[in-house]
Amino acid sequence: MPESPSKTGPETVGPGAAASPPSAEKTAARTEAPRVAAASLVGTTIEYYDFAVYGTASALVLGPAFFPSGNPTLSSLAAFLTFAAAFLSRPLGVVLFGTIGDRLGRRQALVASLLLMGVATVGVGLLPTYETAGLLAPVLLVTLRLLQGLSMGGEWGGAVLLAAEHAPPGRRALYASVPQAGPSLGFLLSSAVILPTLHIAGRDGFADWAWRIPFLLSTVLVVIGLWVRTTVSESPVFRDAAHRTAQAPAPAPESRFPLATLLKRYPGRLLLGTGAAIGGSAVYYLTIVYSLSYGPKQLGIPQNTMLTAASIGAAAGIAITLPVAKLSDRIGRRPVMLTGAVGCVLWAVPMYASLSSRDAWLITGAYTVGLMLLALMFSPVAAFLPELFPARLRYTGASAAFILANTLGGGFAPLVATWLNSRWDSPLVLGFYTGALCLLSLLCLLALPETRDHEFDT
C-alpha cells in the first residue's frame, strides 16, 4: 500500500541498496543552513506582516471604509469575508507554486510568491474607499486579497522546505522551525507599526487615512526580502531529486502534475496532515485576528489592551519555538505536538473566558499560555508535514496540508466566530469551538506515524 508507514519514509531506496555518500555540493549547502534558515524567516515574516496588517485593519477600519452599513456587525462580517477570501485562493497558490517548487526549484517559487504578496499589499494601501469609488472599491479589495492568498499558498511550504532540506542530519526540525516563527514575528512587526500610527494619528485619523501607512511600508520590506532570498542556494535535496529524475529512462507522466500524484498516492496522509494542523490554525487566527475586533466592539476592552496581550503572547511563543523544535529532534515530533494539542484542548475555554474579566493582566496571561501551547503544536509541524511526503511531492504535499488547515481552521474562523457570537453572546463559545478543532488535531496526530527518523533525501 502506498501509504503504509515505514522507518525510512514514504519512498526510500530498496533494502539491498547502499546509501550513497553525500556529495560535496550537498555538504557545502548544509554548511549554508543557518543563512538559508534566516533568509526563509525574513521572507515568511514579511509575508505574514502583510497578512497580519490586513487582519488588524479588517478588525479596526476596513469594514466601514469599504463596506459601509448601518449595522456594525454586518460591516465587520463583510470585512472578515474579504479576509476569508484570501484563504479561498490559497489552494490555487498550492497548485501553482507547488508545481514550480517541485519541478523548477524551491527558491524560484519563494521569490515569485514574495513578489506577488508585495504587489498585492501595496495595492491595498493605494485603493480608493467606497466613498470615493463606490462598488469598485470592494471589488478591487477582494481581488487584491485573492492575490495575497495565492501568494500565501506557496510561501509556507517553500520556506520550511528550503530550511529543512539544507539542515544537517538530526537538526531538521530546528532549522525548519526558524521560518515557523515568521507568522508571530509578522504579527509583532505589524503591531509595532500600527500601534504608533494609531497613537500619532488618533482613532479618527487612522480610520481616515493613516491605515494606509502599514500597507505602503511593505514596499521596503519586500525589497529587502527579495534581496535576501535571491542570495541563497537552491535546496540540495531538490537538486539531487531533479538529477535522478533526469537520469531515469522513462519518467512517469504523472510527475508533471505533483498535485495529481499526491491525491492519487497519498490522500490519507494529506487529510490527516491537514487535520493535525487545523486546531493550531484556529488558535492563531482567533487570537490575533478575531479577538482584536471582538474584545473592543463586544466587550468594551480597550484596543491597546487586546493588541498588547496578543503581542506579548506571540513573543512568548517565538521565544520557545527553537527549544521546542530542538526537543522534537531529540524525542520525536509526535510527543511534543500531542502535548501541545492536549494543552490547547484543555486551555481553549479558560483562555477566551479571560476576556469576560476585561482585566488586561489576566487576558495577557491567558493569551501567553495559549500561544506557548500553540508553539508546541506548530514548531515541530514545520518538519513533520514535509516528512510525510517524498522529495518530488514535498513542496506540494506539505503546502497543501498546511494551507488546507489554515483555510478550514483559520480563514473561516473569524466568520464562524462572528456567527456564533451573534447567537450566543459569550466568549466561552470561542473556547468550545477552538477546543473542538484542537481535539480533531489530537486525533489526527494519534493516527499518523512518527517521522523524525524518516529519510529526507528521497
Side-chain angles (χ1 to χ4, degrees):
M1 295 293 291
E3 294 195 40
S4 60
S6 68
K7 188 176 180 179
T8 55
E11 286 191 4
T12 60
V13 293
S20 59
S23 64
E25 187 179 59
K26 185 183 295 183
T27 302
R30 281 175 173 166
T31 63
E32 193 188 8
R35 190 160 69 92
V36 172
S40 295
L41 173 62
V42 169
T44 304
T45 299
I46 293 169
E47 292 234 12
Y48 274 91
Y49 163 84
D50 292 346
F51 226 68
V53 161
Y54 188 92
T56 304
S58 294
L60 298 179
V61 300
L62 292 187
F66 288 89
F67 306 96
S69 168
N71 187 327
T73 300
L74 290 179
S75 292
S76 295
L77 191 59
F80 285 135
L81 275 170
T82 64
F83 182 81
F87 287 83
L88 294 177
S89 60
R90 282 187 178 193
L92 295 178
V94 170
V95 176
L96 173 63
F97 292 106
T99 301
I100 294 172
D102 280 331
R103 297 195 62 201
L104 303 179
R106 319 308 197 198
R107 192 180 67 165
Q108 292 188 48
L110 282 172
V111 169
S113 71
L114 182 60
L115 182 60
L116 180 60
M117 175 63 83
V119 170
T121 302
V122 173
V124 172
L126 296 174
L127 282 181
T129 63
Y130 185 90
E131 184 179 2
T132 303
L135 288 175
L136 180 63
V139 169
L140 291 175
L141 180 65
V142 171
T143 301
L144 291 174
R145 283 296 290 163
L146 291 173
L147 292 179
Q148 281 189 322
L150 195 70
S151 168
M152 288 298 289
E155 171 59 29
W156 184 88
V160 300
L161 274 188
L162 201 62
E165 292 182 342
H166 277 84
R171 306 183 73 184
R172 193 184 303 147
L174 177 63
Y175 280 86
S177 72
V178 173
Q180 194 70 334
S184 293
L185 280 174
F187 170 70
L188 289 176
L189 184 59
S190 73
S191 296
V193 173
I194 289 173
L195 282 172
T197 305
L198 264 171
H199 178 73
I200 294 171
R203 182 77 186 209
D204 292 339
F206 188 84
D208 186 36
W209 60 271
W211 64 268
R212 301 179 184 274
I213 293 174
F215 290 96
L216 298 178
L217 282 178
S218 180
T219 305
V220 178
L221 298 176
V222 169
V223 169
I224 295 172
L226 287 173
W227 174 76
V228 170
R229 281 195 167 171
T230 54
T231 61
V232 300
S233 65
E234 181 55 85
S235 156
V237 175
F238 171 79
R239 284 199 300 263
D240 283 359
H243 178 73
R244 287 194 299 271
T245 300
Q247 296 299 315
E254 68 179 9
S255 65
R256 296 183 179 182
F257 306 100
L259 182 62
T261 308
L262 178 73
L263 294 175
K264 178 180 179 180
R265 301 195 62 186
Y266 303 101
R269 289 187 183 186
L270 176 59
L271 290 175
L272 289 173
T274 299
I278 199 169
S281 296
V283 173
Y284 181 81
Y285 284 103
L286 285 177
T287 301
I288 72 161
V289 175
Y290 178 75
S291 68
L292 299 186
S293 171
Y294 174 75
K297 291 181 179 179
Q298 303 298 322
L299 301 175
I301 302 171
Q303 190 72 62
N304 284 354
T305 295
M306 295 304 305
L307 281 170
T308 301
S311 298
I312 291 175
I318 292 171
I320 68 168
T321 292
L322 294 185
V324 166
K326 192 171 182 180
L327 179 64
S328 78
D329 274 330
R330 184 178 301 119
I331 68 173
R333 322 300 188 213
R334 289 175 75 250
V336 178
M337 294 174 68
L338 285 169
T339 301
V342 171
C344 285
V345 169
L346 298 177
W347 189 248
V349 172
M351 178 170 66
Y352 293 112
S354 70
L355 297 175
S356 296
S357 71
R358 299 174 176 80
D359 182 88
W361 290 103
L362 187 60
I363 295 170
T364 300
Y367 272 32
T368 299
V369 172
L371 291 175
M372 290 177 74
L373 290 170
L374 172 63
L376 293 179
M377 295 178 67
F378 257 32
S379 180
V381 85
F384 182 69
L385 291 181
E387 287 165 348
L388 292 173
F389 306 99
R392 64 190 178 85
L393 300 174
R394 191 168 290 141
Y395 199 125
T396 301
S399 295
F402 189 79
I403 293 306
L404 284 173
N406 260 227
T407 301
L408 299 174
F412 291 103
L415 288 176
V416 174
T418 300
W419 178 80
L420 288 173
N421 282 126
S422 71
R423 301 288 300 274
W424 299 280
D425 188 17
S426 168
L428 290 178
V429 299
L430 303 180
F432 290 120
Y433 171 55
T434 306
L437 291 181
C438 290
L439 179 60
L440 175 60
S441 290
L442 174 63
L443 296 175
C444 290
L445 284 169
L446 289 172
L448 284 165
E450 177 57 62
T451 61
R452 180 187 58 166
D453 297 324
H454 282 185
E455 176 61 49
F456 209 52
D457 290 348
T458 57

